[in-house]
Amino acid sequence: MTDKPNAVVITGGLGYVGQSLAAVLQDQGANPVLIDNRGVASQVLGVPVIRGSVADGAIWRQLADSYHIQTIYHCAGLIVVSESVHDPARYFSENVCASLAMLNHVRAIGSVPIVFSSSAAVYGNPQTTPIPEDAVKAPISPYGMSKWEFEQMLAAFEVAYGQPWVALRYFNVAGAVKGVREQHEPETHLLPLVKAALRQGQQPQIFGTDYPTPDGTAIRDYIHMADLVDVHVRAADYLSHGGASRAFNVGSGRGHSVQEVMEGFERVSGRSVNAQRLPRRAGDPPVLVADIAQAQEYLGFDPKHSQHIDEMIRDIWQDGV
């Protein structure tokens, strides 16, 4: 009998995080295999793509027959908060029901360690900042609810079936690695929205200038994609060495205001940013910053690319698209 090659599986592998992770893992000598149900093209050459849903048992049987699966990076799912409010059925179907089906298929092939793309949205409007992992979970959108529900499923599967897992609660991701572009449709992230407005000769928008912050605009924690990919790899290594299943916050550990982002674009682009100042949006907290001490202690996480907002802006601005 021929030994099967090792592989790591990335669900949602044609997304921003999935493609970035695939590119870095391939460069490190790993063998990533992607699952994705979208018709978009891969940005990473030479990486196999299986088109379909993570709920499809035939895909998991095919993978188990072809490879020794070392880790599953579960990045699949819908991500637009406002859309989840208007169409919660779709979000629970994709992010919860399909992911539950995936867990059952994974259990049938041997409970492979899972590194899950969770979200700071599980906290809702936190009462304290920086936000620790044990803060109250009170998501205010179906998107956030779906992330928290799947984390709870993982915990239950670990108790009942020995399923190892790590959930990485992302804050705001920006920047680029290996030339992988951020291609969300529709785009909802601040940095690419500002870039698009400036390139089109339009005014970027600031929602809320009367928050209780130093400059009146909301403060958010931005993590560079290079650091986010690094912490995924560290989480998989942590599990492979018997680390206990748990959730970690992954951000920079510091905040940048929306006004500071605008000033960063002025420095990087050399253009004047005359932002349109609009009222606050409902449900936007004044400050969201991660407490990353646990990831630093247990994973050796060092968000070295995330300390200066200009580095993330430069990555986005230099991409001509």
Side-chain angles (χ1 to χ4, degrees), residues 30-78:
N31 183 24
V33 179
L34 315 183
I35 303 174
D36 206 295
N37 60 5
R38 290 168 291 183
V40 299
S42 175
Q43 298 181 54
V44 185
L45 299 178
V47 174
V49 181
I50 300 174
R51 305 278 178 167
S53 169
V54 296
D56 186 347
I59 288 176
W60 293 102
R61 288 190 293 274
Q62 174 189 343
L63 286 166
D65 288 344
S66 302
Y67 303 101
H68 168 62
I69 306 173
Q70 298 169 295
T71 305
I72 297 165
Y73 296 97
H74 185 38
C75 306
L78 303 174

Side-chain angles (χ1 to χ4, degrees), residues 281-317:
R281 293 178 299 196
D284 277 354
V287 181
L288 288 177
V289 176
D291 181 340
I292 59 173
Q294 297 294 305
Q296 289 173 315
E297 178 180 353
Y298 290 94
L299 304 180
F301 177 47
D302 177 17
K304 59 188 177 183
H305 297 282
S306 305
Q307 298 309 305
H308 301 289
I309 195 70
D310 287 16
E311 182 172 348
M312 291 175 261
I313 293 172
R314 191 172 295 110
D315 285 348
I316 291 173
W317 188 256

Side-chain angles (χ1 to χ4, degrees), residues 224-283:
H224 194 287
M225 180 59 81
D227 293 328
L228 186 65
V229 168
D230 175 69
V231 79
H232 277 75
V233 176
R234 289 177 180 274
D237 184 63
Y238 164 85
L239 288 174
S240 74
H241 287 89
S245 298
R246 58 186 298 156
F248 294 100
N249 289 335
V250 287
S252 68
R254 59 172 296 181
H256 294 283
S257 73
V258 177
Q259 180 60 40
E260 287 174 336
V261 170
M262 300 297 173
E263 291 167 0
F265 268 97
E266 287 191 336
R267 288 190 296 271
V268 170
S269 70
R271 301 187 184 189
S272 175
V273 177
N274 180 26
Q276 183 180 10
R277 296 174 173 268
L278 300 171
R280 298 187 194 185
R281 293 178 299 196

Side-chain angles (χ1 to χ4, degrees), residues 31-150:
N31 183 24
V33 179
L34 315 183
I35 303 174
D36 206 295
N37 60 5
R38 290 168 291 183
V40 299
S42 175
Q43 298 181 54
V44 185
L45 299 178
V47 174
V49 181
I50 300 174
R51 305 278 178 167
S53 169
V54 296
D56 186 347
I59 288 176
W60 293 102
R61 288 190 293 274
Q62 174 189 343
L63 286 166
D65 288 344
S66 302
Y67 303 101
H68 168 62
I69 306 173
Q70 298 169 295
T71 305
I72 297 165
Y73 296 97
H74 185 38
C75 306
L78 303 174
I79 65 169
V80 181
V81 172
S82 59
E83 184 182 65
S84 78
V85 174
H86 298 298
D87 195 359
R90 182 167 173 246
Y91 273 68
F92 289 125
S93 178
E94 288 290 328
N95 294 4
V96 179
C97 298
S99 293
L100 173 58
M102 180 195 77
L103 279 183
N104 281 316
H105 299 316
V106 171
R107 180 161 64 99
I109 63 177
S111 293
V112 180
I114 293 174
V115 177
F116 170 50
S117 295
S118 191
S119 170
V122 302
Y123 299 115
N125 293 321
Q127 299 303 306
T128 60
T129 191
I131 307 164
E133 284 86 353
D134 61 0
V136 173
K137 313 305 179 295
I140 58 174
S141 69
Y143 165 72
M145 293 172 198
S146 72
K147 292 294 189 180
W148 177 229
E149 285 181 21
F150 189 66

